[in-house]
Amino acid sequence: MLDDNESAQIDQVIERLIAHFPAQSPAEIELLVRRIHERFIDARVRDFVPLLVEKAARQTLVAYPIEVTGEDPHSTEAMATI
């Protein structure tokens, strides 16, 4: 169950990653983080979910940088890179 504290922590993760990866599209970073967060929706222990989400997102952004193309970030091609 997602609570307000976890939601706020995920928002902070997004802000940190946007600051750390300024060449990346903020909208794409947010979409990536939210998709990774969805993978943990059924986790019983919630304490470390934001940390795990941030780690996975950082690894993905380093391994597969999102190109800022000016295209619709929700297009099929953009979604395939996430």
Side-chain angles (χ1 to χ4, degrees), residues 28 31 35 66-67 69 71-82:
E28 292 292 339
L31 181 62
R35 285 191 167 200
I66 301 166
E67 294 183 21
T69 61
E71 295 177 6
D72 176 11
H74 301 292
S75 69
T76 305
E77 292 89 21
M79 299 307 266
T81 62
I82 297 177

Side-chain angles (χ1 to χ4, degrees), residues 21-63:
F21 295 94
Q24 305 297 324
S25 164
E28 292 292 339
I29 290 174
E30 180 176 3
L31 181 62
L32 173 66
V33 169
R34 302 240 182 252
R35 285 191 167 200
I36 292 171
H37 187 230
E38 287 175 5
R39 296 179 197 165
F40 294 94
I41 202 71
D42 292 328
R44 289 189 212 169
V45 178
R46 308 295 309 174
D47 294 342
F48 300 105
V49 167
L51 178 67
L52 295 171
V53 169
E54 183 167 2
K55 182 176 180 181
R58 279 183 185 273
Q59 289 174 339
T60 301
L61 288 166
V62 168

Side-chain angles (χ1 to χ4, degrees), residues 5-20:
N5 185 40
E6 184 175 323
S7 181
Q9 289 178 346
I10 293 299
D11 290 342
Q12 291 171 355
V13 166
I14 293 166
E15 290 174 17
R16 280 195 297 274
L17 292 175
I18 289 171
H20 191 266

